[in-house]
Amino acid sequence: MDKLAGAMGTRAGLALRLAQAIFSVGSLLFMCLDVSVFSYSYAPFCFLVATMGLVTPWSLGLATIDAFLVLVKRPSHQARVLSAVVLGDWVLSVLSLSVSCSTFSVVDYLIASGSPNCRGNICRRYQLSAAMAFLTWILSLTSLLFNLWLLPTLY
Amino acid sequence: MDKLAGAMGTRAGLALRLAQAIFSVGSLLFMCLDVSVFSYSYAPFCFLVATMGLVTPWSLGLATIDAFLVLVKRPSHQARVLSAVVLGDWVLSVLSLSVSCSTFSVVDYLIASGSPNCRGNICRRYQLSAAMAFLTWILSLTSLLFNLWLLPTLY
């Protein structure tokens, strides 16, 4: 199994990493830009910012490695490296899922209870941020599954 | 690999399934018993009840199969059955994680905002319910990993 589209070191893998980086940056921007201080008193919002702040450099770093491997046309066949990438993807995907669900539920409650903190479109922006974190989870999981599929063939 | 402790058809696998069933029933009881109607107006609480209502029969059913396989001393070697169990475990573990995080965050907000709906120890009970759903997630994930490890040896 020389090339599995979507695994590390392929064009599809590079596209997945870039999409993860774009969505995590989008999630950070929707959550952080032009927001009053109150939102940082909610734990889920802080965790979302922290998690997306981890996902962004992770995805960008792996995108750089993927771009290099695509340019030299040599998919990575090192089992240890791939195991570390799978483990990192798994941790970050679990974190992304939990923060997106937590943020969704708190924002849903804020809107339903007519909170004065939800004036303007601020709560819609939090929802968009949570939706982008959820998309980041789906993309991380896709990368994880492709690399996990490739892993047993390397041992 | 005839026997992998924790996989389907072993004593450890049976213990994991029983623990999942116990924690999911505990989560349901803490969420449902002697609770006013208001709590069902929150989406995360409803989703928690629905998910734990799925996990309980799933775990009990698989515990019965495990008990049968342990009694006849014959671990399951059918790849299709194990694939279905892995898929089911994966779906239920994702659902368990998301509902436990959602419930935790909403209850945390209710307590922090001094909501009148949190009188007595009711919000502590919701937290216990979410904690039990989280433990159910960890146990589902453990079962999933053991069965996933066994799966490639069957093909």
Side-chain angles (χ1 to χ4, degrees):
Chain A
M1 196 182 290
D2 263 346
K3 274 199 171 183
L4 172 72
M8 204 177 166
T10 61
R11 279 170 199 274
L14 174 60
L16 275 174
R17 295 291 171 196
L18 287 178
Q20 282 165 36
I22 291 168
F23 282 122
S24 58
V25 168
S27 176
L28 272 178
L29 288 180
F30 274 117
M31 184 55 82
C32 295
L33 269 191
D34 193 24
V35 162
S36 62
V37 182
F38 98 90
S39 67
Y40 296 110
S41 59
Y42 298 152
F45 295 0
C46 293
F47 286 132
L48 188 137
V49 171
T51 305
M52 292 300 116
L54 283 172
V55 171
T56 309
W58 171 262
S59 303
L60 283 177
L62 287 175
T64 316
I65 295 172
D66 276 350
F68 172 74
L69 290 173
V70 166
L71 278 178
V72 300
K73 293 185 180 170
R74 187 168 59 86
S76 171
H77 277 169
Q78 296 187 353
R80 281 191 189 176
V81 176
L82 208 63
S83 304
V85 170
V86 165
L87 190 68
D89 269 338
W90 181 75
V91 171
L92 289 177
S93 69
V94 166
L95 285 175
S96 304
L97 174 65
S98 45
V99 294
S100 69
C101 289
S102 303
T103 308
F104 256 129
S105 57
V106 166
V107 175
D108 187 60
Y109 177 77
L110 284 173
I111 293 175
S113 64
S115 166
N117 289 328
C118 258
R119 62 186 169 281
N121 282 325
I122 200 86
C123 279
R124 294 274 162 224
R125 279 182 44 189
Y126 295 148
Q127 279 183 325
L128 275 175
S129 177
M132 289 203 165
F134 192 78
L135 286 173
T136 308
W137 169 65
I138 291 175
L139 292 167
S140 289
L141 195 73
T142 314
S143 289
L144 167 68
L145 288 178
F146 278 120
N147 287 327
L148 197 66
W149 191 259
L150 190 64
L151 200 56
T153 64
L154 301 184
Y155 278 104
Chain B
M1 195 182 291
D2 262 347
K3 274 199 173 184
L4 174 72
M8 205 178 164
T10 61
R11 280 170 199 273
L14 173 62
L16 276 173
R17 294 292 171 196
L18 287 178
Q20 282 165 35
I22 290 168
F23 281 122
S24 58
V25 168
S27 176
L28 271 178
L29 288 180
F30 274 118
M31 184 56 82
C32 294
L33 270 191
D34 193 24
V35 162
S36 61
V37 182
F38 97 91
S39 66
Y40 297 108
S41 58
Y42 297 152
F45 296 179
C46 294
F47 286 134
L48 187 137
V49 171
T51 305
M52 292 300 116
L54 282 172
V55 170
T56 308
W58 171 262
S59 303
L60 284 178
L62 287 175
T64 315
I65 295 171
D66 276 350
F68 173 74
L69 291 173
V70 165
L71 278 178
V72 301
K73 292 182 180 172
R74 187 169 58 87
S76 170
H77 277 168
Q78 297 188 352
R80 280 193 190 173
V81 175
L82 208 63
S83 305
V85 169
V86 165
L87 190 69
D89 269 337
W90 181 75
V91 170
L92 289 178
S93 69
V94 166
L95 286 175
S96 303
L97 175 65
S98 45
V99 294
S100 70
C101 289
S102 304
T103 307
F104 255 129
S105 57
V106 166
V107 175
D108 187 59
Y109 177 77
L110 284 173
I111 292 175
S113 65
S115 165
N117 289 327
C118 258
R119 63 187 168 280
N121 281 326
I122 199 88
C123 280
R124 293 277 161 221
R125 279 181 44 189
Y126 295 149
Q127 278 182 324
L128 275 174
S129 176
M132 289 205 165
F134 192 78
L135 285 173
T136 308
W137 169 65
I138 291 176
L139 292 167
S140 290
L141 194 74
T142 314
S143 289
L144 166 69
L145 288 177
F146 278 120
N147 288 327
L148 196 65
W149 191 260
L150 190 64
L151 199 56
T153 63
L154 301 185
Y155 277 106

